[in-house]
Amino acid sequence: MAYDPSKIEPKWQKRWEAEKAFRTEAKTDKPKYYVLDMFPYPSGAGLHVGHVEGYTASDIVARYKRMRGFEVLHPMGWDAFGLPAEQYAIDTGRHPEETTRTNINTFRGQLQRIGFSYDWEREIGTCDPPFYKWTQWIFLKLLEHDLAYKTEMLVNWCPALGTVLANDEVIDGKSERGGHPVVRKPMQQWMLRITKYADRLLEGLDRVEFPESIKSMQRDRIGRSDGADASFAIHGHDSKLEIFTTRPDTMFGATFCVLAPEHPLVDKITTAEKRAAVDAYRAEAASKSDVARSGPEAGKSGVDTGAFAMNPATGNPIPIWVADYVLMNYGTGAIMCVPGHDERDHAFAKKFGLPIVEVVKGGNVQQAAYDGDGPHVNSGILDGLSNKAAIEKMIGWLEEKQLGKRQIRYRMRDWIFARQRFWGEPIPVVTDEEGKTYPLPFEELPLLLPHVEKYEPTGTGESPLARVTDWVTTKVPFTERPARRETDTMPGSAGSSWYFLRFIDPKNDRTFCDLELAKKWMPVDLYVGGAEHAVGHLIYSRFWTKFLFDLGLCPVDEPYKRLVNQGMILGEDSRKMSKRYGNVVNPNDVIDQVGADALRLYEMFMGPIEAEKPWSTTSLEGARHFLNRAWRLFFDDRTDVLLDAVQDVPPSDDIQKLLHRTIDKVTTDTEAMRFNTAISAMMVFVNEMTKQTVRPKQVLQSFCLLLAPYAPHMAEEIHERLGGTASLIRAAFPVADPKWLVDDSVEIAVQVNGKIKDRVMVPAEGDEAAVRTIVMASDKIQAAIAGKELVKFLYVKGRLVTIAVK
Ligand code: ANZ
């Protein structure tokens, strides 16, 4: 076989590197395009095929945009600090500095082997001191602006990992990594006041092109609720019971109140008679997670305090209970309960025999809570009003009587910004003997992570850094007074919250990113990565960007213009790729087998980029087969010399039509990131050209340009052999001539087992093989035949395709 990627690919990779072909001119007059990958955590397992999927997609766009005359910024780096890296080091018994270096080298080598067009001069790692100097600097700015603070928090403490975990890192009471039990524990923690930005984080979502599913996950996480705070007098006490409700209109139907078990009023108001039962209930609740408390058992347990609150709307006394379905860290930790119209309150009232009163018409509230709209009843001033009008009226009344006020609450909590672990950015503050905290002067950054021999968790909740006595012992800045350094480190998501800015100006030692350069390059035009970062990383980095924008240090307040999530690649058995199932595909093996261009092409041909799809060795071979056929358009398979069929002759009209339709399709599909259908158009082209005994050279050259973003090594090699001198990296992408686009395609119907499932455009003169390629690329047809055996494929020219499956 003449086409030999194992020779061609390394040759071009070396040449690109030697020529610095992907270097970005920071100061350029060309229009800019910033295409960014979510940088990987350099794991010990090396690159996986899921990385390759996203990185190929962004690489095609980067290469395409360069050919379209854009100056493209396409950088790569390493999300190298954090728990996984440290855990890997502990498991292998090697220092994280060493394992991280080794893993980065492996990753870089693998990425280079696939021919990704990164500007490697901009490589950054979050664990490099010149980088984390600025992570620390931004932290100090947050501190200066009162957006960082230290407080006692009930946190998710994982004894086995020896650290606090963020809520995202805890699944069903176990750590996401390793599945270790997680318990709640009060601890002093550094926090970032992200809640201050909640509203802007919501509003900004309206201005970015993210998948709707991601937007709604972010909206859920932020969890804005509009309602009111109201205060209820407590019979026989001076203290008031403050509640938060989204339904102040239902206050006339509030027949009891519930406090969270941790609520400070519980001790004060519980009667002597009820105390033992209340204490027992509180002890039990202490071990339950918020998730368990909000689950299906919510509203099914509780205990009476014996005390009464006065319903401000009706003036009636109503009992105060304690129940764990009310969470202490949301709202005020206390609620008024309206069993007629709230499901959990209804369950609770039924269980404990509390009264249910109807205040909104529309259901049978004795049987089930009715939470729909309807005219209010039994509600004094609200009678006859709809929900919305009644809410407004009630808020007005509460405010007038000074019994409450309009309130907006967010479900989002402040960001716990500390880990009791070694492998992270040191937090650049010190504490004096009185416990007062001082920031380090900016000039002292970076505060280097000290080299230690023992980096394992201490088990006590203290960071391993606490053992490094000579590092910990220091002085209050500008004085001789003794102080201790903060020994907690920043969480893994610190560096990734701003790394996209550093890529713009990676070597600057005066500032984290020159503002003029940031004005040129921000925002990121296209951001590609896995949906697992849908909330955490994306919200955190949007928050930091808004903060830097407010300081006038970043020109935009939304970092990413457009976000695309690549779908998960499953194993050949359609299960998640996992060592456990033995279905993991290693990109290195695939490259050895079929070459990097075939790997790229295959992963893009698997289906829409966002879709989840199983690996298929047969289709992988199909991709390689396509490249072989493309090669044979030019070269003799045995001798590898240019075929006589390739001639310097003007193309016929038919060939012009074929070429320009292919250009048109590949262009629009590449722009829309529909890479699979762009590839099928190239396949049709190759099939048609293969039939030609005379193949006009200029047409083949244009095809080569179309192929360049997808299979860049092969395209360069062919181009060179045809006499091209300059590389294709900045060659102009072909433009379709509209003259050849008219009237050469027809719409046909596609039937599956007698039912029309789709209509597709096919070349009017296309043969069955060409039409079949197009039909099979249709998602609707794929869905209709999925999992079935194809028994017939019939093409009635220009009219219809009939498919039979069983
Ligand atoms: C009375 C009421 C009547 C309520 C009704 C709902 C329906 P979201 O939308 O999630 O913000 N609530 C308030 N604080 C709570 C806490 N700490 N733990 C558990 N539940 C709490 O939910 C707001 C509603 O959830 C509030 O409105 C309150 O119940 C309850 F027909 O007040 B509502």
Side-chain angles (χ1 to χ4, degrees):
M1 177 96 42
Y3 167 52
D4 184 359
S6 72
K7 291 219 174 64
I8 295 172
E9 291 174 354
K11 166 184 158 184
W12 286 98
Q13 285 157 16
K14 279 195 204 97
R15 192 168 306 175
W16 292 329
E17 200 188 332
E19 290 172 0
K20 304 211 181 302
F22 310 120
R23 174 195 262 162
T24 310
E25 290 307 328
K27 293 184 178 130
T28 166
D29 296 331
K30 288 191 197 173
K32 69 94 184 183
Y33 196 83
Y34 186 176
V35 46
L36 182 67
D37 291 307
M38 290 184 189
F39 63 165
Y41 144 63
S43 75
L47 204 66
H48 60 71
V49 291
H51 289 122
V52 177
E53 182 191 17
Y55 298 165
T56 303
S58 61
D59 194 60
I60 291 170
V61 174
R63 287 174 174 275
Y64 170 78
K65 289 285 178 183
R66 280 190 203 99
M67 294 176 76
R68 281 261 170 233
F70 287 83
E71 188 66 23
V72 171
L73 176 56
H74 189 40
M76 185 38 90
W78 319 108
D79 192 10
F81 262 147
L83 211 54
E86 184 166 354
Q87 207 55 39
Y88 179 73
I90 291 169
D91 295 345
T92 56
R94 287 157 58 207
H95 199 281
E97 262 163 42
E98 181 200 330
T99 53
T100 303
R101 274 298 131 219
T102 315
N103 293 349
I104 286 176
N105 289 334
T106 308
F107 263 70
R108 191 191 307 100
Q110 286 189 295
L111 294 173
Q112 286 170 340
R113 247 195 115 187
I114 308 175
F116 293 134
S117 60
Y118 298 123
D119 180 355
W120 285 108
E121 288 176 32
R122 291 172 187 266
E123 177 181 342
I124 54 181
T126 53
C127 63
D128 300 335
F131 180 88
Y132 74 68
K133 167 180 177 173
W134 298 108
T135 311
Q136 293 174 329
W137 187 89
I138 297 170
F139 175 84
L140 289 181
K141 283 286 168 192
L142 287 159
L143 188 62
E144 188 181 307
H145 290 264
D146 192 34
L147 290 167
Y149 62 98
K150 202 170 190 181
T151 187
E152 174 123 314
M153 272 283 294
L154 254 189
V155 294
N156 304 308
W157 169 249
C158 178
L161 292 176
T163 193
V164 161
L165 297 174
N167 284 334
D168 322 312
E169 296 167 325
V170 184
I171 295 166
D172 295 337
K174 301 235 164 66
S175 64
E176 184 187 17
R177 262 192 92 71
H180 307 293
V182 174
V183 294
R184 315 265 292 158
K185 173 173 166 179
M187 277 177 82
Q188 282 281 326
Q189 295 290 321
W190 278 102
M191 309 285 294
L192 295 188
R193 230 181 275 284
I194 190 171
T195 47
K196 216 180 152 193
Y197 280 75
D199 230 6
R200 288 172 61 194
L201 288 167
L202 268 184
E203 175 277 323
L205 288 175
D206 298 335
R207 291 183 278 123
V208 293
E209 300 163 49
F210 289 8
E212 268 315 309
S213 58
I214 303 287
K215 286 191 184 182
S216 84
M217 277 193 263
Q218 295 203 14
R219 288 192 185 108
D220 269 7
R221 164 58 70 84
I222 298 165
R224 177 180 161 132
S225 286
D226 291 63
D229 280 352
S231 73
F232 285 38
I234 304 171
H235 185 75
H237 291 269
D238 290 337
S239 319
K240 300 261 193 259
L241 177 57
E242 305 287 343
I243 63 110
F244 170 65
T245 176
T246 47
R247 295 291 305 276
D249 60 310
T250 61
M251 198 174 278
F252 286 88
T255 54
F256 55 100
C257 283
V258 168
L259 300 180
E262 304 82 359
H263 198 291
L265 273 179
V266 176
D267 256 344
K268 236 188 231 172
I269 62 170
T270 301
T271 60
E273 197 196 335
K274 304 285 185 188
R275 183 153 309 265
V278 168
D279 286 349
Y281 184 77
R282 293 176 89 187
E284 205 180 301
S287 61
K288 279 206 229 168
S289 73
D290 285 1
V291 178
R293 285 167 55 166
S294 311
E297 289 304 302
K300 304 213 172 108
S301 77
V303 57
D304 188 0
T305 64
F308 287 86
M310 308 308 291
N311 181 325
T314 62
N316 293 332
I318 55 178
I320 305 175
W321 285 63
V322 171
D324 64 12
Y325 75 99
V326 176
L327 306 177
M328 192 57 220
N329 59 10
Y330 183 60
T332 59
I335 65 174
M336 67 173 192
C337 297
V338 185
H341 304 282
D342 179 89
E343 203 183 317
R344 297 194 287 184
D345 298 348
H346 193 272
F348 199 83
K350 281 282 183 204
K351 166 119 194 191
F352 297 105
L354 294 157
I356 301 173
V357 173
E358 177 180 59
V359 290
V360 182
K361 272 231 158 308
N364 180 341
V365 299
Q366 297 307 324
Q367 272 167 26
Y370 172 69
D371 63 5
D373 200 356
H376 281 58
V377 292
N378 305 320
S379 294
I381 52 168
L382 306 180
D383 277 354
L385 296 179
S386 72
N387 292 11
K388 207 169 163 221
I391 289 172
E392 286 310 308
K393 181 141 190 187
M394 195 62 193
I395 292 176
W397 183 83
L398 287 169
E399 287 182 342
E400 189 190 307
K401 302 270 178 223
Q402 299 195 341
L403 289 168
K405 63 176 195 320
R406 187 184 301 280
Q407 182 67 268
I408 298 167
R409 301 258 178 203
Y410 298 92
R411 210 155 270 286
M412 184 163 73
R413 307 266 67 92
D414 276 346
W415 174 9
I416 302 178
F417 198 71
R419 295 286 186 271
Q420 296 66 44
R421 296 293 296 245
F422 166 69
W423 192 236
E425 301 86 347
I427 294 177
V429 301
V430 304
T431 309
D432 69 10
E433 286 173 319
E434 274 91 59
K436 195 167 177 300
T437 297
Y438 303 83
L440 285 192
F442 291 113
E443 303 72 52
E444 281 185 30
L445 303 182
L447 170 60
L448 294 176
L449 188 60
H451 184 82
V452 299
E453 292 307 324
K454 284 182 68 181
Y455 44 83
E456 289 81 3
T458 58
T460 61
E462 242 191 349
S463 155
L465 287 178
R467 290 190 290 231
V468 193
T469 324
D470 54 347
W471 182 82
V472 171
T473 314
T474 183
K475 303 220 161 87
V476 173
F478 312 117
T479 77
E480 288 304 311
R481 287 195 291 124
R484 272 176 63 84
R485 291 195 192 282
E486 173 59 65
T487 57
D488 282 3
T489 53
M490 298 187 197
S493 33
S496 59
S497 291
W498 73 281
Y499 75 116
F500 41 88
L501 286 163
R502 190 63 180 172
F503 278 135
I504 293 172
D505 195 10
K507 308 257 157 59
N508 199 329
D509 57 8
R510 285 166 294 104
T511 167
F512 65 91
C513 173
D514 178 81
L515 183 59
E516 289 309 309
L517 288 177
K519 280 185 189 155
K520 167 86 199 174
W521 287 98
M522 286 300 281
V524 171
D525 294 280
L526 174 66
Y527 195 28
V528 181
E532 66 274 19
H533 300 293
V535 253
H537 159 63
L538 286 170
I539 290 203
Y540 298 146
S541 53
R542 293 180 56 228
F543 162 44
W544 278 36
T545 304
K546 287 179 192 301
F547 169 64
L548 293 171
F549 172 82
D550 291 350
L551 297 189
L553 300 175
C554 175
V556 294
D557 77 332
E558 280 294 335
Y560 321 113
K561 185 161 177 263
R562 179 173 177 210
L563 172 74
V564 170
N565 297 120
Q566 79 262 25
M568 182 145 29
I569 297 187
L570 304 172
E572 190 129 30
D573 53 5
S574 291
R575 287 192 291 190
K576 205 175 155 167
M577 276 195 193
S578 155
K579 268 200 206 131
R580 186 157 39 121
Y581 304 134
N583 60 356
V584 178
V585 179
N586 181 334
N588 279 351
D589 299 340
V590 179
I591 298 173
D592 290 342
Q593 207 189 322
V594 295
D597 280 342
L599 168 63
R600 293 169 61 110
L601 208 86
Y602 164 63
E603 289 209 18
M604 294 302 98
F605 191 57
M606 291 176 87
I609 186 78
E610 305 84 1
E612 184 176 279
K613 48 228 160 197
W615 190 263
S616 154
T617 305
T618 327
S619 311
L620 173 66
E621 282 157 7
R624 171 59 197 262
H625 188 64
F626 162 67
L627 290 179
N628 289 343
R629 282 169 67 78
W631 187 262
R632 291 203 297 263
L633 282 183
F634 300 84
F635 307 110
D636 185 291
D637 209 20
R638 280 162 298 116
T639 61
D640 207 21
V641 292
L642 195 63
L643 293 168
D644 292 338
V646 180
Q647 290 173 18
D648 252 324
V649 292
S652 68
D653 284 5
D654 279 350
I655 300 280
Q656 287 284 34
K657 276 189 189 164
L658 172 68
L659 173 67
H660 286 272
R661 283 188 348 93
T662 310
I663 296 173
D664 185 52
K665 180 81 178 143
V666 173
T667 305
T668 38
D669 285 353
T670 305
E671 297 259 355
M673 296 182 75
R674 288 192 300 262
F675 306 117
N676 55 330
T677 50
I679 293 169
S680 64
M682 290 191 263
M683 289 175 166
V684 171
F685 176 89
V686 170
N687 287 343
E688 290 299 313
M689 279 313 277
T690 302
K691 291 185 215 148
Q692 306 295 322
T693 45
V694 174
R695 300 173 191 160
K697 193 166 158 191
Q698 73 175 83
V699 170
L700 293 187
Q701 272 165 330
S702 296
F703 170 71
C704 213
L705 291 164
L706 295 183
L707 193 63
Y710 289 80
H713 310 87
M714 177 191 250
E716 291 271 28
E717 181 69 21
I718 295 175
H719 173 70
E720 187 184 64
R721 290 191 188 198
L722 290 183
T725 44
S727 146
L728 292 181
I729 304 299
R730 285 179 176 77
F733 201 78
V735 178
D737 183 341
K739 168 167 106 187
W740 301 108
L741 299 179
V742 285
D743 171 44
D744 52 358
S745 53
V746 286
E747 192 186 73
I748 58 160
V750 185
Q751 287 188 341
V752 177
N753 289 352
K755 285 209 185 81
I756 295 189
K757 292 289 180 186
D758 200 2
R759 292 176 191 281
V760 295
M761 296 301 290
V762 298
E765 293 309 315
D767 63 7
E768 182 168 312
V771 170
R772 186 169 176 149
T773 311
I774 294 170
V775 167
M776 288 308 178
S778 147
D779 293 342
K780 288 184 187 151
I781 299 306
Q782 280 300 330
I785 66 175
K788 300 195 181 111
E789 190 196 335
L790 203 148
V791 289
K792 190 173 89 177
F793 186 100
L794 184 76
Y795 176 39
V796 184
K797 194 163 177 195
R799 298 185 35 210
L800 181 74
V801 163
T802 312
I803 296 174
V805 290
K806 67 171 190 204

